C-alpha cells in the first residue's frame, strides 16, 4: 500500500502519476511482483517473467550492488540534471543522491507496479536531495514524449541518465523505446534551439522592415480564406523529380486544370521551362533567400504574383515587379500587436516550419482546396541531386553527406537515402496532413520519400483520371486595398511609443538593482542582497509586461531569455551566498546587455515603421 506521505506529495506535485497508480492498485498480481527479505536484512524485489522469478536487486546485498552501479558515475558536472530510469526499490537512487545532493532529478519507471512497490516502501520526503522535479510511469509513447519535452525544455545543463541495469535487461523493449524517443526529442530540441538562435533577430528585423509591405498589400487569408472548396492545387517543389514532370505541369497550366503554386527554388525550374505558376510562395527569413528570385527580377517578369510570409527575408521583396500578397507568420510578433481586421474578425496566420512547402501546405488548406497535389517533393536524394534543373545556385550532394545520410521508405516501398533536414520536413508535413479535414493530399513525386497521409499517384494518371475540366479563373488574385483597421493601428502605435519611452526607466532601475547586489555581495551583506533579489524579480516582471520588450526585444533574445528564466530556480537554490550573488548578477546583466544593444540597433527601423503607419493613415 502506498505510504500516506507519498500520497500527499504525489497529489500535490505529480497528480497524473498518482492517478495511474490508483488505477492499478487493486489489480496488482502478487505473483507477478514480490518483495522479499535478503540475507543481510534488506529487501529485494522479484518479477515473474515466463514462469521464472527474476530479481531486480541482489538477493544477498542490494546496497553493495547499488554502490557498484553508482561507482560508474564518477564526474557529474554542475547544473547537471539526472533521469533515473527504473526505480526498483530505489537503492541506487539513494546512493547517487547522497553523493550528488545538488542535482535536479526526475524519476521514470516504465512499470507502474514497480513504482507502486517503491512508493509503498520508500518515503520520498527522506530522499537525500529535495530537488525532485518529476515522477512519471507507464510506456505510453505520448506520455513519454510529453515528459521528455517538458524535461528538456527546462534543462540547461548536461543530462545524466542513471539506469538500473537489471531493469533494462528485463524490460529491454521498454528501454529501447524510451531511448529512441529521448534521442528524437533531444535532437528536435537541439534543432529548435539552433533555429531560434540563428533566426531570432532576423524574424523580428524582417517583420519590422516588411511592415510597410504588409500594410499596403492584401492579406490572402483575409481576402481568400475558404474560397477554393472543390478546387485542386498543385504544389510544386524543387526536388530532382520535378525535371520529369515539366510537360505534365505545362499541360495543367495551359488547360487551367489546377492552381499552380511554386515553393522556394521551384520558381526557377518553372521559368527556365517557360511555365509561370499562378503564384510563387516564399517565407525563408535569411538574407540568402533573395537569390531564389534573382532570375525573376533580372528578367523583369511582372505577371507572377508573390505570396510572402511576413517574416520573410526583407531583401526578397525589394524590387519585385509582380503583385505581392502576404500571409502573417507565427514568428511575426509585430503584426500580432499592431493589426486587426477592419471587420473585427480574427486574423489567421501560418505556423513557422522547416520548409516553405509545409508553410504553403497550411496556406492551401486554409484557402479551402479540396485536393492538393505534391510534385517535386522528393525529401530525399536522387542521383546525388538535391534540386531540379534551372537552379544556378544548386550544388550536388557530397560524398560526406551520403555517408551521413539516413534511409527512409520511398513511394514504392523501397528504401531511399535522405538527411535529417529532409526528414524533419517530412515529419512536420505528415503532422499537418494528419490534421486536415476534407482535404485529400496526393503525392506525385516519383522516387520521393513516402509521406504518411498521402496517396502516391503519378501525375500522368492524375491528369487522366482526376483533372478533367478547367478551373483556374483569370485574375484570381485581384489586387485590392488591405482591410486592416486604421483606428486600431494608430491606437496601438501611440501605446507602443509610450511603452518605448518606459523602457529606459526600466533598464536604469534594472542595472541599479544589479549594482546593489554586487555591492552587498562584495561586503557579505547577504540579508540586504536577498532583499535585492526580490526587487530584481519585480523589475524583470516589468520587462516582461512592457509591450516594447514583449513585441520586439524579448523575441529577438528568446534563447537568452529562456535560458535565464529556466535558470532562476537553480540560482535561487545556490547554497553558497557569495556565489549566488555573483551568478545572479552575471546572468541577469548578460541578458539585459543584449536587450539594450538590440533596442539601440532597431531604433532606426522602428522609426521607419512609424512612417509607414503615418503613410497608411494618409492613404486611407
Amino acid at each position: 500500500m502506498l505510504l500516506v506521505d507519498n500520497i500527499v506529495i504525489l497529489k500535490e506535485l505529480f497528480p497524473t502519476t498518482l492517478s495511474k497508480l490508483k488505477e492499478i492498485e487493486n489489480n496488482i498480481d502478487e505473483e507477478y511482483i514480490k518483495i522479499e527479505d535478503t540475507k543481510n536484512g534488506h529487501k529485494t524485489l522479484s518479477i515473474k517473467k515466463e514462469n521464472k522469478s527474476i530479481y531486480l536487486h541482489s538477493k544477498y546485498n542490494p546496497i553493495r550492488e547499488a554502490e557498484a552501479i553508482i561507482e560508474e558515475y564518477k564526474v557529474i558536472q554542475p547544473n547537471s540534471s539526472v533521469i533515473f530510469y527504473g526505480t526498483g526499490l530505489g537503492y541506487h537512487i539513494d546512493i547517487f543522491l547522497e553523493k550528488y545532493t545538488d542535482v535536479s532529478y526526475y524519476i521514470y519507471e516504465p512499470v507502474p507496479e514497480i513504482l507502486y512497490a517503491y512508493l509503498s516502501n520508500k518515503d520520498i520526503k527522506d530522499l537525500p536531495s529535495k530537488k525532485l522535479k518529476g515522477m512519471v510511469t507507464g510506456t505510453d509513447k505520448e506520455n513519454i514524449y510529453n515528459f521528455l519535452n517538458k524535461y528538456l525544455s527546462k534543462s540547461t545543463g548536461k543530462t545524466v541518465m542513471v539506469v538500473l541495469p537489471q531493469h533494462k535487461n528485463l524490460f529491454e523493449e521498454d528501454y529501447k523505446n524510451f531511448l529512441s524517443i529521448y534521442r528524437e526529442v533531444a535532437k528536435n530540441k537541439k534543432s529548435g534551439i539552433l533555429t531560434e538562435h540563428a533566426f531570432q533577430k532576423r524574424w523580428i528585423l524582417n517583420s519590422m522592415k516588411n511592415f510597410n509591405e504588409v500594410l499596403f498589400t492584401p492579406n490572402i487569408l483575409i481576402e481568400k480564406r475558404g474560397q477554393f472548396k472543390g478546387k485542386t492545387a498543385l504544389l510544386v517543389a524543387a526536388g530532382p523529380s520535378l525535371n520529369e514532370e515539366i510537360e505534365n505541369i505545362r499541360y495543367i497550366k495551359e488547360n487551367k486544370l489546377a492552381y499552380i503554386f511554386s515553393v522556394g527554388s521551384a520558381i526557377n525550374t518553372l521559368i527556365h521551362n517557360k511555365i509561370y505558376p499562378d503564384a510563387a510562395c516564399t517565407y525563408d527569413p535569411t538574407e540568402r533567400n533573395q537569390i531564389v528570385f534573382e532570375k525573376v527580377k533580372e528578367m523583369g517578369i511582372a505577371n507572377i504574383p508573390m505570396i510572402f510570409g511576413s517574416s520573410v527575408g526583407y531583401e526578397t521583396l525589394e524590387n519585385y515587379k509582380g503583385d505581392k500578397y502576404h500571409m502573417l507568420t507565427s514568428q511575426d510578433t509585430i503584426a500580432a500587436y499592431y493589426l486587426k481586421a477592419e471587420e473585427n474578425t480574427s486574423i489567421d496566420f501560418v505556423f513557422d516550419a522547416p520548409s516553405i512547402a509545409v508553410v504553403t501546405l497550411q496556406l492551401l488548406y486554409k484557402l479551402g482546396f479540396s485536393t492538393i497535389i505534391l510534385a517535386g517533393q522528393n525529401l530525399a536524394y536522387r542521383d546525388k541531386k538535391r534540386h531540379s534543373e534551372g537552379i544556378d545556385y544548386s550544388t550536388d550532394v557530397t560524398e560526406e553527406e551520403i555517408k551521413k545520410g539516413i534511409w527512409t521508405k520511398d513511394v514504392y516501398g523501397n528504401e531511399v537515402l535522405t538527411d535529417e533536414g529532409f526528414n524533419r520536413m517530412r515529419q512536420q508535413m505528415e503532422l499537418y496532413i494528419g490534421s486536415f479535414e476534407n482535404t485529400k493530399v496526393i503525392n506525385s513525386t516519383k522516387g520521393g520519400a513516402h509521406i504518411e497521409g498521402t496517396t502516391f499517384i503519378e501525375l500522368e494518371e492524375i491528369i487522366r483520371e482526376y483533372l478533367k475540366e478547367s478551373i483556374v479563373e483569370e485574375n484570381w488574385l485581384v489586387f485590392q486595398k488591405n482591410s486592416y483597421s486604421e483606428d486600431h493601428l494608430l491606437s496601438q502605435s501611440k501605446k507602443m511609443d509610450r511603452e518605448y519611452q518606459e523602457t529606459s526607466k526600466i533598464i536604469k532601475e534594472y542595472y541599479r538593482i544589479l549594482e546593489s547586489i554586487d555591492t552587498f555581495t562584495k561586503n557579505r551583506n547577504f540579508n540586504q542582497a536577498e532583499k535585492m533579489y526580490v526587487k530584481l524579480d519585480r523589475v524583470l516582471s516589468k520587462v516582461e509586461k512592457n509591450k516594447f520588450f514583449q513585441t520586439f526585444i524579448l523575441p529577438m533574445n528568446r534563447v537568452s531569455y529562456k535560458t535565464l528564466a529556466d535558470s532562476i530556480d537553480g540560482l535561487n537554490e545556490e547554497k553558497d551566498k557569495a556565489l549566488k550573488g555573483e551568478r545572479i548578477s552575471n546572468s541577469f546583466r548578460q541578458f539585459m546587455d543584449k536587450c539594450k544593444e538590440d533596442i539601440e540597433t532597431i531604433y532606426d527601423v522602428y522609426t521607419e515603421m512609424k512612417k509607414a503607419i503615418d503613410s497608411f493613415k494618409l492613404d486611407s
Side-chain angles (χ1 to χ4, degrees):
M1 186 174 177
L2 293 174
L3 297 178
V4 173
D5 286 350
N6 287 344
I7 293 173
V8 172
I9 292 170
L10 290 174
K11 191 172 184 180
E12 182 183 352
L13 300 177
F14 316 118
T16 303
T17 299
L18 178 60
S19 296
K20 289 191 175 183
L21 295 177
K22 287 292 185 183
E23 284 174 15
I24 64 153
E25 190 169 35
N26 297 321
N27 299 307
I28 297 175
D29 184 350
E30 292 181 3
E31 292 299 314
Y32 172 64
I33 185 165
K34 285 183 179 180
I35 294 175
E36 303 174 18
D37 291 325
T38 63
K39 292 187 176 180
N40 69 351
H42 290 100
K43 295 184 184 299
T44 187
L45 187 148
S46 69
I47 301 289
K48 195 166 188 179
K49 193 171 184 182
E50 296 174 357
N51 293 319
K52 291 181 183 178
S53 289
I54 303 171
Y55 289 88
L56 281 183
H57 308 290
S58 167
K59 292 189 288 182
Y60 304 99
N61 194 334
I63 301 293
R64 186 182 298 164
E65 178 189 55
E67 287 171 344
I69 292 169
I70 300 309
E71 186 61 30
E72 295 182 20
Y73 301 89
K74 291 181 178 176
V75 180
I76 304 298
Q77 297 175 1
N79 298 325
S80 293
S81 295
V82 175
I83 297 176
F84 290 104
Y85 180 92
T87 59
L89 294 177
Y91 296 117
H92 63 304
I93 297 174
D94 283 351
I95 290 168
F96 185 96
L97 295 178
E98 283 167 5
K99 193 174 181 181
Y100 304 105
T101 56
D102 209 32
V103 297
S104 296
Y105 63 99
Y106 301 75
I107 292 173
Y108 171 65
E109 172 51 69
V111 184
E113 291 85 353
I114 295 178
L115 185 61
Y116 189 94
Y118 172 61
L119 295 173
S120 298
N121 287 272
K122 173 69 182 179
D123 196 332
I124 55 177
K125 77 175 188 299
D126 294 335
L127 284 167
S129 168
K130 306 304 178 189
K131 293 186 177 182
L132 176 60
K133 303 296 183 183
M135 184 180 292
V136 181
T137 189
T139 55
D140 176 68
K141 284 192 174 182
E142 187 176 349
N143 191 37
I144 298 172
Y145 271 111
N146 290 340
F147 159 58
L148 289 175
N149 274 314
K150 186 176 179 182
Y151 156 67
L152 286 171
S153 70
K154 291 185 176 180
S155 173
T156 55
K158 188 177 179 182
T159 296
V160 178
M161 197 176 301
V162 179
V163 180
L164 185 59
Q166 185 67 338
H167 195 299
K168 176 181 74 172
N169 297 335
L170 188 57
F171 303 99
E172 190 176 355
E173 284 306 309
D174 290 344
Y175 179 69
K176 284 180 180 176
N177 288 336
F178 179 84
L179 212 55
S180 173
I181 294 170
Y182 175 81
R183 285 170 178 158
E184 183 182 339
V185 172
K187 192 188 298 176
N188 290 342
K189 183 201 173 188
K190 184 179 179 182
S191 171
I193 289 173
L194 290 174
T195 299
E196 290 194 335
H197 193 270
F199 299 141
Q200 57 186 352
K201 297 190 190 300
R202 278 291 292 190
W203 279 322
I204 302 306
L205 178 64
N206 289 336
S207 299
M208 294 177 75
K209 297 276 277 186
N210 294 338
F211 196 63
N212 184 63
E213 294 277 10
V214 167
L215 288 178
F216 291 97
T217 59
N219 181 325
I220 190 167
L221 285 174
I222 290 179
E223 306 301 332
K224 297 290 184 181
R225 181 179 174 88
Q227 292 189 19
F228 294 88
K229 286 183 171 59
K231 308 288 186 184
T232 298
L234 178 64
L235 191 161
V236 182
S241 294
L242 179 58
N243 298 327
E244 300 174 41
E245 306 296 356
I246 291 302
E247 292 312 312
N248 288 322
I249 294 171
R250 191 189 312 280
Y251 182 84
I252 290 170
K253 174 67 179 177
E254 290 175 353
N255 291 279
K256 302 179 180 180
L257 302 178
Y259 288 86
I260 300 173
F261 294 82
S262 71
V263 295
S265 298
I267 182 68
N268 291 294
T269 299
L270 292 179
I271 62 173
H272 176 73
N273 289 281
K274 297 181 174 54
I275 301 170
Y276 289 5
D278 295 295
C281 301
T282 185
Y283 95 113
D284 188 326
T286 63
E287 180 183 358
R288 181 178 168 77
N289 189 56
Q290 63 184 310
I291 297 171
V292 173
F293 288 91
E294 266 184 3
K295 192 179 290 186
V296 180
K297 293 175 183 178
E298 286 170 3
M299 294 173 67
I301 297 171
N303 55 343
I304 301 177
M306 174 194 281
I307 301 173
F308 66 90
S310 56
S311 55
V312 72
Y314 67 88
E315 303 89 349
T316 306
L317 306 183
E318 293 173 344
N319 305 315
Y320 190 80
K321 293 186 173 166
D323 288 341
K324 294 191 281 278
Y325 303 80
H326 70 269
M327 49 186 170
L328 301 182
T329 70
S330 58
Q331 300 295 354
D332 185 354
T333 53
I334 285 83
Y337 172 80
Y338 281 96
L339 301 180
K340 186 171 80 172
E342 226 169 31
E343 297 178 2
N344 212 21
T345 54
S346 61
I347 303 176
D348 207 351
F349 61 90
V350 290
F351 285 98
D352 189 61
S355 156
I356 178 59
V358 179
V359 171
T360 304
L361 194 66
Q362 295 175 61
L363 171 67
L364 299 181
Y365 177 70
K366 290 172 186 288
L367 292 178
F369 283 99
S370 298
T371 304
I372 301 170
I373 303 165
L374 307 178
Q377 195 66 65
N378 285 77
L379 297 175
Y381 301 147
R382 188 175 187 187
D383 301 327
K384 292 194 175 182
K385 298 293 181 184
R386 67 179 90 238
H387 287 126
S388 47
E389 293 173 0
I391 301 169
D392 299 335
Y393 47 86
S394 180
T395 57
D396 285 352
V397 180
T398 65
E399 290 297 330
E400 186 63 25
E401 285 175 308
I402 290 172
K403 285 178 187 175
K404 290 181 179 177
I406 55 178
W407 293 98
T408 189
K409 186 170 74 169
D410 73 5
V411 291
Y412 306 115
N414 304 316
E415 286 198 322
V416 65
L417 199 63
T418 186
D419 63 24
E420 292 289 354
F422 282 144
N423 226 31
R424 278 196 299 275
M425 292 176 198
R426 177 183 59 77
Q427 288 166 349
Q428 194 156 26
M429 186 173 280
E430 288 172 347
L431 283 174
Y432 281 108
I433 291 170
S435 70
F436 289 172
E437 295 178 359
N438 303 318
T439 297
K440 183 178 183 180
V441 183
I442 301 172
N443 185 8
S444 71
T445 310
K446 295 172 183 174
H450 167 71
I451 301 170
E452 195 67 35
T454 67
T455 304
F456 172 64
I457 307 175
E458 293 189 356
L459 200 50
E460 296 92 337
E461 185 181 344
I462 294 172
I463 292 170
R464 190 170 60 250
E465 298 296 329
Y466 299 101
L467 305 181
K468 297 185 177 181
E469 58 182 66
S470 299
I471 61 166
V472 179
E473 298 176 6
E474 292 291 337
N475 302 317
W476 70 283
L477 278 178
V478 178
F479 190 90
Q480 53 193 311
K481 184 181 175 300
N482 218 328
S483 51
Y484 291 127
S485 166
E486 179 191 338
D487 290 343
H488 181 76
L489 175 64
L490 296 177
S491 171
Q492 292 295 89
S493 182
K494 287 176 184 175
K495 287 178 187 174
M496 186 60 81
D497 272 343
R498 291 194 293 271
E499 294 288 301
Y500 171 73
Q501 297 300 326
E502 195 65 27
T503 58
S504 58
K505 297 177 188 175
I506 294 172
I507 291 170
K508 283 177 185 175
E509 181 184 359
Y510 188 102
Y511 280 119
R512 195 162 54 244
I513 292 168
L514 290 180
E515 287 165 11
S516 296
I517 289 171
D518 290 342
T519 301
F520 289 133
T521 302
K522 186 179 179 181
N523 296 333
R524 303 189 69 78
N525 190 344
F526 299 126
N527 287 337
Q528 288 300 317
E530 288 291 338
K531 292 177 182 177
M532 287 297 110
Y533 303 151
V534 175
K535 289 187 176 181
L536 188 58
D537 278 344
R538 287 178 189 154
V539 77
L540 181 62
S541 181
K542 288 182 183 179
V543 168
E544 292 167 336
K545 290 175 182 175
N546 179 274
K547 293 297 181 184
F548 192 86
F549 271 103
Q550 265 183 29
T551 307
F552 299 98
I553 306 305
L554 294 183
M556 290 180 78
N557 293 277
R558 64 191 74 194
V559 175
S560 298
Y561 175 52
K562 187 177 185 308
T563 300
L564 178 67
D566 289 343
S567 70
I568 287 174
D569 285 347
L571 293 172
N572 287 331
E573 289 171 357
E574 176 60 60
K575 292 172 184 174
D576 183 325
K577 293 184 177 181
L579 183 59
K580 177 179 178 179
E582 184 183 330
R583 287 178 62 194
I584 287 176
S585 178
N586 289 342
S587 297
F588 277 75
R589 181 173 278 105
Q590 286 170 13
F591 168 68
M592 186 51 71
D593 286 350
K594 292 174 183 176
C595 292
K596 189 167 176 284
E597 183 182 338
D598 283 337
I599 290 174
E600 293 166 3
T601 300
I602 68 169
Y603 177 75
D604 289 343
V605 188
Y606 178 64
T607 303
E608 287 176 22
M609 270 186 61
K610 292 202 289 182
K611 288 178 183 175
I613 292 169
D614 289 339
S615 298
F616 187 81
K617 177 184 175 184
L618 294 171
D619 191 64
S620 298

